[in-house]
């Protein structure tokens, strides 16, 4: 017979009341676990998309120009004093402080060429980095490997009436069409891609780059800081972040996160009230019992230990169940909440231990006053009979 | 020196605007090994006297000395410790813990004592055997008769070998035959040296004791 024997046996006897207490606390913990896990999973999903969906930093030549477009119709622009990006400057990008966040650097050289009777835009790319950045590209055929191989956008292939394996003459040289892109719905559909070095020679832009797309791993990366760092390294270039859409999503998510935390706070408060009221009721029901304990010599601390141990056991059970139910809820809700089907649930030890710890803290704090109240009971009053 | 010395103990309660004098200057001496019954009508102050004697009810004035210790001058939780080590209580309504078995109820005072569990079980079994319940160790209170529950309560009171056994109307909820059995048990315990102080309103119980103290309106009317 130890004090915990009393606590455990009392819990066994008051099964219905303790089940109510456990369920009340469990619902609170489960709600918090679901909200926190959903928020984190959705954040991770969006961050993953930012990494996956290509560039989030664009480097273009510095120029003084005036855009001439209105209502979506572009009339070109007036550009003057344009400075080219030098290919040798690209190495400087990898020397910035946040270089570890750089996933891929994709330089491009652009220029118009004549293919038969058609004017097309030739894009010189480094295929390795380009394919790494544009993982959504689906290529019929294969990615170009040699210098004299091309990759055509779907519209360009249709207009030029060529298929994979066909040959196209450009400025007296023959190029094999290694692959054709599936429809992307973007400007890529009408482009002809060649290797960077070959395109530079064909366009007479050796050593020059028209624009550079940089993909930065977004989990915790400071895009704004990276933009500043690259601009400092290449002063003649204009460096801009293209993350407005994702930022918008993150802001929406941030609002959801705040809402979740507010909800969690309300749930925690209600959970605490349930614990407090139930434990207080339990203590009041056990007035005589506590009177007997005090009469036979139990100290106040012994009474508190009995009550708090009961609360701790129930809270631990509620914590375990709450975590399990909460993760189950998050798993069910995630497909409806996340934008992509690939969003996956984040199993995090911090959430597991945090939820159990929160349940325990909540149970103990809410039971503290009932335990103190019990320990201060006058044994004579409690027993009444004496 | 007597085992218990109660000197000029007064106890006042406030009930609304009124002051109720439950004890109005009680002086009693009890020797070790005595069997005392405290009798009196309802409201005479006998239960208040027992609670004062049990270290659970601070008197308004006066002193209660037990084995040379002035109970109400003990600091902090020392009074609780004193109760645990020196007193055994038997309550009128038994007050067994319903979710503990007979042996667990008897082991209750040992829950706060540094002792191995087998030693606690052994002490509780012996106490239950002394009251004739050696075969019903694992019964819950709800599975025992009133007389058996009273015996479990007595076993719980004697398991820690207290100097003084305090009983409040122990036969109040029992039929006459069972009451006699319980009183005989108290007598047996007293015969082997246990000091017993019992509050009762039943004059027949007085026959089992060495001395009867009669209270009326908070004062000792007489001792016989």
């Amino acid at each position: 017979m130890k004090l915990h024997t009393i606590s455990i046996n009392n819990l066994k006897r008051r099964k219905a009341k303790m089940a109510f207490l456990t369920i009340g606390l469990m619902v609170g913990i489960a709600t918090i676990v679901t909200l926190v896990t959903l928020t984190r999973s959705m954040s991770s999903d969006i961050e993953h998309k930012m990494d996956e969906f290509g560039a989030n930093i664009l480097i273009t030549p510095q120029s003084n120009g005036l855009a001439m477009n209105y209502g979506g119709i572009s009339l070109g622009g007036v550009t003057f004093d344009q400075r080219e990006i030098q290919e040798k400057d690209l190495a400087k990008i990898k020397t910035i402080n946040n270089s570890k966040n750089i996933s891929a650097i994709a330089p491009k050289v652009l220029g118009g060429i004549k293919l038969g009777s058609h004017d097309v835009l030739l894009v010189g790319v480094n295929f390795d980095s380009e394919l790494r950045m544009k993982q959504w590209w689906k290529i019929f055929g294969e990615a170009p490997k040699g210098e004299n191989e091309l990759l055509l956008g779907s519209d360009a292939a249709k207009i030029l009436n060529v298929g994979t394996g066909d040959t196209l003459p450009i400025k007296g040289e023959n190029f094999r069409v290694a692959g054709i892109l599936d429809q992307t719905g973007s400007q890529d559909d009408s482009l002809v891609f060649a290797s960077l070095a070959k395109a530079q020679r064909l366009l007479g832009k050796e050593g020059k780059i028209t624009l550079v797309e940089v993909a930065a791993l977004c989990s915790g990366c400071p895009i704004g800081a990276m933009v500043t760092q690259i601009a400092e390294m290449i002063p003649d270039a204009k460096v801009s972040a293209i993350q407005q859409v994702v930022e918008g999503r993150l802001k929406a998510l941030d609002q959801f996160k705040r809402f979740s935390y507010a909800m969690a706070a309300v749930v925690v408060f209600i959970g605490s009230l349930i614990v407090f009221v139930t434990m207080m009721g339990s203590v009041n029901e056990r007035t005589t019992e506590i009177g007997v304990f005090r009469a036979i010599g139990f100290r106040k601390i012994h009474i508190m230990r009995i009550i708090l141990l009961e609360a701790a056991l129930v809270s631990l059970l509620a914590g375990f169940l709450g975590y399990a139910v909460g993760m189950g809820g998050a798993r069910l809700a995630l497909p409806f909440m996340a934008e992509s089907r690939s969003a996956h649930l984040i199993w995090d030890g911090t959430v597991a231990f945090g939820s159990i710890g929160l349940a325990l803290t909540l149970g103990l704090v809410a039971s503290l006053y009932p335990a103190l109240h019990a320990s201060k009971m006058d044994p004579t009053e409690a027993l009444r009979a004496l | 020196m007597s085992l218990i010395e109660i000197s000029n103990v007064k106890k006042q309660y406030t009930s609304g605007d009124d002051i109720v004098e439950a004890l109005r200057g009680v002086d009693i001496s009890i020797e070790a090994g005595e069997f005392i019954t405290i009798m009196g009508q309802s409201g005479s102050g006998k239960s208040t006297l027992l609670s004062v004697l049990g270290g659970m009810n601070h008197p308004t004035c006066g002193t209660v000395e037990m084995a040379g210790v002035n109970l109400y001058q003990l600091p902090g939780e020392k009074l609780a410790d004193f109760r645990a080590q020196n007193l055994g209580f038997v309550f009128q309504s038994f007050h067994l813990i319903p979710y503990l078995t007979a042996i667990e109820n008897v082991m209750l005072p040992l829950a706060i004592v540094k002792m191995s569990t087998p030693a606690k079980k052994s002490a509780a079994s012996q106490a239950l055997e002394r009251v004739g319940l050696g075969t019903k160790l694992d019964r819950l209170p709800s599975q025992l008769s009133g007389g058996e529950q009273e015996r479990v309560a007595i076993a719980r009171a004697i398991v820690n070998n207290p100097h003084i056994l305090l009983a409040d109307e122990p036969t109040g909820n029992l039929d006459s035959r069972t009451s006699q059995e319980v009183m005989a048990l108290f007598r047996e315990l007293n015969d082997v040296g246990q000091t017993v102080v019992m509050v009762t309103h039943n004059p027949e119980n007085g026959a089992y004791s060495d001395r009867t103290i009669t209270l009326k309106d908070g004062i000792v009317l007489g001792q016989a």
Side-chain angles (χ1 to χ4, degrees):
Chain A
M1 166 64 71
K2 299 243 169 81
L3 291 179
H4 65 75
T5 317
I6 299 168
S7 302
I8 292 167
N9 281 335
N10 179 54
L11 291 179
K12 283 182 190 167
R13 183 185 63 144
R14 296 165 191 259
K15 284 191 187 85
K17 196 155 274 183
M18 291 306 140
F20 170 74
L21 178 57
T22 309
I23 291 168
L25 199 52
M26 184 202 72
V27 168
I29 297 298
T31 308
I32 293 166
V33 169
T34 302
L35 289 173
V36 169
T37 307
L38 272 180
T39 309
R40 297 179 81 171
S41 298
M42 287 161 68
S43 295
S44 166
D45 181 39
I46 287 181
E47 286 175 356
H48 181 66
K49 274 182 198 162
M50 281 181 77
D51 296 342
E52 197 181 62
F53 286 1
N56 36 24
I57 296 173
L58 188 65
I59 306 170
T60 52
Q62 190 78 266
S63 68
N64 296 317
L66 294 170
M68 292 177 70
N69 54 52
Y70 186 83
I73 296 169
S74 177
L75 301 175
V78 180
T79 304
F80 51 91
D81 192 23
Q82 180 160 344
R83 282 159 258 173
E84 298 277 358
I85 301 170
Q86 299 300 314
E87 194 173 356
K88 61 179 175 1
D89 290 340
L90 296 182
K92 294 178 184 172
I93 299 173
K94 289 184 179 172
T95 63
I96 64 168
N97 290 339
N98 283 94
S99 58
K100 65 178 186 305
N101 293 113
I102 294 172
S103 166
I105 299 170
K108 291 176 182 61
V109 64
L110 306 177
I113 52 163
K114 199 94 177 164
L115 274 176
S117 59
H118 300 284
D119 287 321
V120 296
L121 187 60
L122 179 70
V123 184
V125 297
N126 180 335
F127 280 108
D128 284 343
S129 54
E130 200 68 22
L131 291 172
R132 187 172 167 191
M133 193 177 281
K134 294 181 175 173
Q135 291 179 27
W136 63 92
W137 271 4
K138 192 175 172 187
I139 298 171
F140 295 110
E142 58 184 2
K145 291 187 180 69
E147 278 218 330
N148 279 45
E149 288 187 332
L150 299 175
L151 177 68
L152 268 59
S154 58
D155 292 347
K158 269 184 207 162
I159 287 167
L160 298 170
N161 197 25
V162 290
T164 54
D166 290 349
T167 304
L168 275 174
I170 305 173
K171 292 190 176 177
E173 276 189 67
N174 281 332
F175 290 82
R176 191 177 80 87
V177 178
I180 295 171
L181 287 178
D182 192 11
Q183 193 88 29
T184 63
S186 72
Q187 61 202 5
D188 294 345
D189 292 342
S190 54
L191 301 178
V192 173
F193 296 90
S195 74
L196 183 65
K198 186 57 114 181
Q200 283 171 330
R201 278 201 295 280
L202 288 172
L203 297 169
K205 294 182 177 179
E206 283 90 346
K208 291 176 182 170
I209 298 294
T210 310
L211 64 96
V212 185
E213 288 178 315
V214 178
L217 292 169
C218 203
S219 303
C221 74
I223 294 286
M226 289 176 74
V227 165
T228 310
Q229 290 165 17
I230 295 171
E232 283 170 3
M233 287 292 171
I234 315 174
D236 286 341
K238 180 184 169 191
V239 186
S240 49
I242 46 173
Q243 56 165 0
Q244 292 88 336
V245 175
V246 182
E247 261 191 356
R249 284 179 191 163
L250 284 173
K251 271 186 184 167
L253 196 67
D254 193 46
Q255 282 180 331
F256 176 72
K257 203 183 274 182
R258 286 183 200 177
F259 171 73
S260 297
Y261 290 151
M263 282 270 290
V266 172
V267 169
V268 164
F269 179 68
I270 293 170
S272 308
L273 272 184
I274 290 173
V275 175
F276 176 80
V277 170
T278 312
M279 291 307 286
M280 203 64 196
S282 173
V283 163
N284 287 334
E285 274 178 22
R286 296 164 72 186
T287 303
T288 306
E289 193 179 309
I290 292 162
V292 170
F293 293 153
R294 290 289 284 149
I296 63 177
F298 280 36
R299 287 179 162 209
K300 288 176 182 175
I301 193 73
H302 294 136
I303 307 292
M304 284 193 73
R305 273 166 61 183
I306 292 169
I307 306 290
L308 291 178
L309 185 61
E310 285 174 17
L313 290 172
V314 170
S315 304
L316 275 177
L317 181 64
F320 278 113
L321 292 176
Y323 176 70
V325 172
M327 288 305 287
R331 193 172 183 176
L332 288 174
L334 189 61
F336 300 100
M337 303 288 283
E339 287 184 15
S340 70
R341 288 187 177 183
S342 61
H344 61 281
L345 207 61
I346 293 179
W347 294 84
D348 189 348
T350 316
V351 177
F353 289 113
S355 56
I356 293 163
L358 178 67
L360 191 60
T361 310
L362 209 68
L364 289 177
V365 169
S367 303
L368 204 56
Y369 178 75
L372 270 170
H373 175 70
S375 73
K376 285 180 180 171
M377 277 182 180
D378 180 352
T380 316
E381 285 289 319
L383 286 165
R384 290 191 195 99
L386 271 173
Chain B
M1 190 180 175
S2 304
L3 179 64
I4 302 170
E5 285 284 352
I6 300 174
S7 307
N8 192 31
V9 165
K10 294 181 182 175
K11 180 69 188 179
Q12 292 180 339
Y13 295 107
T14 49
S15 175
D17 293 335
D18 300 329
I19 293 174
V20 179
E21 287 189 292
L23 297 174
R24 296 189 296 161
V26 174
D27 296 284
I28 299 172
S29 292
I30 299 171
E31 301 300 324
E34 263 196 299
F35 188 162
I36 303 287
T37 49
I38 300 171
M39 297 190 64
Q41 292 179 334
S42 184
S44 61
K46 56 187 189 299
S47 288
T48 302
L49 178 61
L50 198 70
S51 65
V52 170
L53 199 53
M56 293 188 289
N57 199 353
H58 274 257
T60 310
C61 70
T63 57
V64 179
E65 279 192 28
M66 208 170 279
V69 176
N70 190 334
L71 284 195
Y72 293 99
Q73 286 194 340
L74 287 172
E77 290 278 72
K78 293 287 179 192
L79 193 52
D81 295 344
F82 186 88
R83 285 198 296 269
Q85 290 157 14
N86 298 286
L87 302 176
F89 288 93
V90 180
F91 308 105
Q92 183 177 2
S93 304
F94 324 132
H95 290 323
L96 299 180
I97 308 302
Y99 50 86
L100 298 178
T101 60
I103 191 164
E104 285 171 339
N105 264 289
V106 176
M107 280 197 284
L108 210 53
L110 307 177
I112 52 173
V113 175
K114 281 184 183 172
M115 231 170 127
S116 69
T117 304
K120 287 177 186 178
K121 277 189 178 170
S122 169
S125 298
Q126 283 175 21
L128 279 167
E129 276 167 20
R130 278 180 80 183
V131 298
L133 284 177
T135 57
K136 296 184 177 177
L137 306 181
D138 297 320
R139 300 271 181 94
L140 287 169
S142 57
Q143 297 167 321
L144 298 170
S145 68
E148 288 171 333
Q149 288 185 45
E150 184 69 63
R151 285 165 184 271
V152 174
I154 293 168
R156 181 175 67 188
I158 61 172
V159 72
N160 56 345
N161 299 314
H163 287 110
I164 302 141
L165 188 57
L166 302 172
D168 182 43
E169 302 274 12
T171 59
N173 290 332
L174 301 176
D175 59 55
S176 59
R177 188 180 160 194
T178 313
S179 294
Q180 285 172 15
E181 287 173 8
V182 168
M183 287 308 298
L185 183 58
F186 277 108
R187 184 71 248 176
E188 281 173 37
L189 291 169
N190 179 249
D191 287 344
V192 292
Q194 178 70 61
T195 307
V196 180
V197 179
M198 178 187 293
V199 162
T200 181
H201 66 274
N202 185 352
E204 289 176 17
N205 291 344
Y208 292 88
S209 66
D210 302 327
R211 184 155 56 109
T212 298
I213 298 168
T214 307
L215 284 182
K216 187 177 182 187
D217 298 331
I219 54 171
V220 176
L221 203 62
Q223 300 188 36

